[in-house]
Amino acid sequence: MKKQIILTGDRPTGKLHLGHYAGSLAARVKLQEEYRQFVMIADTQALTDNAENPEKVRANILEVALDYLSVGIDPDKTTIFIQSLIPAIPELTMYFLNLVTWNRLKHNPTIKLEIQQKGYGEEIPAGFMIYPVNQAADITIFKANLVPVGEDQLPIMEQTIELVRKFNRIYKTDTLIEPKALIAPIARLPGTDGKLKMSKSLNNTINLSDSADEVVKKVKSMYTDPNHLRVEDPGKVEGNPVFTYLDAFATDKEKVAELKAHYQRGGLGDSIVKKYLLEVLLSLLDPIRKRREEWAKEPQEVMNILRKGTEIARHVADMTMQEVRKTMKIDYF
Ligand code: TRP
């Protein structure tokens, strides 16, 4: 019997990329063997800043599901489901909202950064403002112990833990479980342009579904050490995304160490390092792309997987909600 539970997910606002893979997808493929794993396509959360683009969110449900299946998330081992079809999540969110102050919400660093990036100013959608509380409900309604996420999600995990503690204290119960974040060794993958984070909105991603030609083009134009002008010059590996990607995805660590030493000494050109990176990335991405192409021929089959997963998830969430209602003394009949 798998006792430990994982809940994790992604917003369906675009195709998933190498940043997702390094941050969480690779871990999910491994962890599904030992854990009871739920993977959620977070359409409700996506709509908090896409109220005007429901078609985009809808179209990306299938894309994200294809990304999941193509990396090896196995629907026989992992329950894949759609967030908006689990009514217990907004229900628990509503009760959680009474346990958090407006001030606390405003000071969540993840939210603060996103408000800035999206240029909301004072016009912040209320639903967006409270999405961390909704995310706390996602996690706790499944009694998840473990949440594999990128580093940027840590403030939300912290808030989740606060809510669980407060809920259990106030209602004198142990119904809800305190989850732990599981952060990947390369917690944040930089963009191909060298910016801190790979992100669709920055247009600096390598997507899991990119064609081999696209990957070649993107790697060739990748940012490296701007001061490494001639081959014989010593180069920097820190802050050089080519080496960060090698650290994240190359299995031959010795070879990576040698390349780094040579690059730092001088005498190793960017194009040679990039050629090796390309080899590494294509051997990772080729099988993923092939599996994606196979699944993409059967969209109905993919939607069926989501429908079945959603039924299971809804049942599990409803069971927790019954307990929640009882501990809150709102189980009237
Ligand atoms: N906020 C996450 C992201 O932007 C997606 C997400 C929604 C999530 N609910 C979750 C992640 C619950 C982990 C657990 O990537």
Side-chain angles (χ1 to χ4, degrees):
M1 188 40 191
K2 295 174 177 175
K3 278 245 169 66
Q4 300 272 73
I5 299 172
I6 290 183
L7 179 287
T8 174
D10 301 277
R11 298 181 201 181
T13 49
K15 300 220 168 98
L16 300 185
H17 53 62
L18 283 177
H20 295 108
Y21 189 81
S24 165
L25 289 176
R28 297 179 201 175
V29 176
K30 284 209 190 107
L31 293 166
Q32 67 184 345
E33 305 297 335
E34 278 172 50
Y35 288 77
R36 172 86 182 88
Q37 181 166 253
F38 295 89
V39 173
M40 179 180 71
I41 303 183
D43 62 334
T44 307
Q45 187 175 112
L47 286 164
T48 63
D49 64 333
N50 278 288
E52 278 134 48
N53 303 310
E55 306 81 10
K56 174 172 111 183
V57 173
R58 185 185 176 115
N60 279 303
I61 296 236
L62 181 64
E63 296 301 330
V64 170
L66 286 171
D67 283 330
Y68 287 164
L69 295 167
S70 64
V71 297
I73 293 178
D74 177 348
D76 290 331
K77 295 175 183 158
T78 294
T79 302
I80 310 174
F81 69 97
I82 300 178
Q83 183 185 26
S84 67
L85 296 175
I86 313 296
I89 296 176
E91 215 176 326
L92 181 58
T93 302
M94 202 64 201
Y95 302 122
F96 273 172
L97 282 171
N98 300 328
L99 307 180
V100 64
T101 65
W102 191 243
N103 205 37
R104 174 72 178 91
L105 286 173
K106 277 202 304 210
H107 290 104
N108 181 312
T110 308
I111 293 290
K112 270 168 68 174
L113 183 69
E114 276 187 273
I115 288 172
Q116 227 182 33
Q117 288 169 342
K118 293 175 200 298
Y120 280 143
E122 294 296 308
E123 303 299 314
I124 310 160
F128 178 80
M129 199 66 193
I130 65 148
Y131 95 68
V133 179
N134 191 237
Q135 187 159 324
D138 300 335
I139 295 166
T140 50
I141 202 84
F142 292 98
K143 300 194 184 238
N145 327 79
L146 203 62
V147 182
V149 277
E151 197 179 41
D152 59 316
Q153 300 290 302
L154 281 178
I156 302 184
M157 293 305 297
E158 229 172 83
Q159 245 188 323
T160 303
I161 291 168
E162 278 171 35
L163 279 163
V164 169
R165 288 190 184 154
K166 194 154 184 192
F167 182 97
N168 285 347
R169 177 162 49 76
I170 289 178
Y171 301 114
K172 299 186 180 53
T173 179
D174 54 7
T175 301
L176 300 185
I177 308 292
E178 262 184 49
K180 262 210 212 75
L182 181 72
I183 301 292
I186 306 278
R188 183 170 41 190
L189 202 69
T192 51
D193 56 359
K195 292 224 176 87
L196 222 49
K197 197 180 161 186
M198 186 176 276
S199 158
K200 190 175 65 78
S201 55
L202 298 173
N203 206 11
N204 62 7
T205 69
I206 294 176
N207 297 334
L208 298 173
S209 49
D210 279 351
S211 70
D213 284 350
E214 280 170 301
V215 179
V216 171
K217 240 201 324 208
K218 287 180 180 179
V219 169
K220 275 195 177 152
S221 63
M222 256 178 92
Y223 175 91
T224 62
D225 173 3
N227 297 318
H228 185 236
L229 297 174
R230 289 168 310 171
V231 172
E232 56 277 22
D233 289 341
K236 262 172 102 174
V237 301
E238 299 83 28
N240 186 334
V242 175
F243 285 99
T244 314
Y245 290 12
L246 284 176
D247 280 335
F249 303 113
T251 43
D252 188 346
K253 302 293 171 204
E254 250 171 62
K255 168 138 190 183
V256 175
E258 271 170 34
L259 286 173
K260 280 185 180 173
H262 193 175
Y263 195 80
Q264 286 170 315
R265 254 194 336 265
L268 182 59
D270 282 335
S271 63
I272 301 204
V273 191
K274 284 183 172 179
K275 198 165 154 237
Y276 179 55
L277 175 62
L278 201 57
E279 230 174 80
V280 166
L281 291 184
L282 288 178
S283 73
L284 172 73
L285 293 173
D286 282 348
I288 293 176
R289 189 181 331 102
K290 288 206 182 87
R291 265 197 304 258
R292 199 179 204 280
E293 280 160 12
E294 287 308 307
W295 280 109
K297 290 181 196 153
E298 318 256 9
Q300 212 46 52
E301 180 69 18
V302 177
M303 292 313 281
N304 259 332
I305 288 170
L306 297 185
R307 189 173 49 75
K308 282 188 206 146
T310 300
E311 268 167 34
I312 294 169
R314 189 184 307 177
H315 176 72
V316 174
D318 283 346
M319 302 288 276
T320 307
M321 201 57 216
Q322 272 184 32
E323 280 181 67
V324 164
R325 297 183 71 92
K326 201 163 169 203
T327 52
M328 291 181 67
K329 306 206 188 320
I330 55 172
D331 57 333
Y332 304 117
F333 306 114

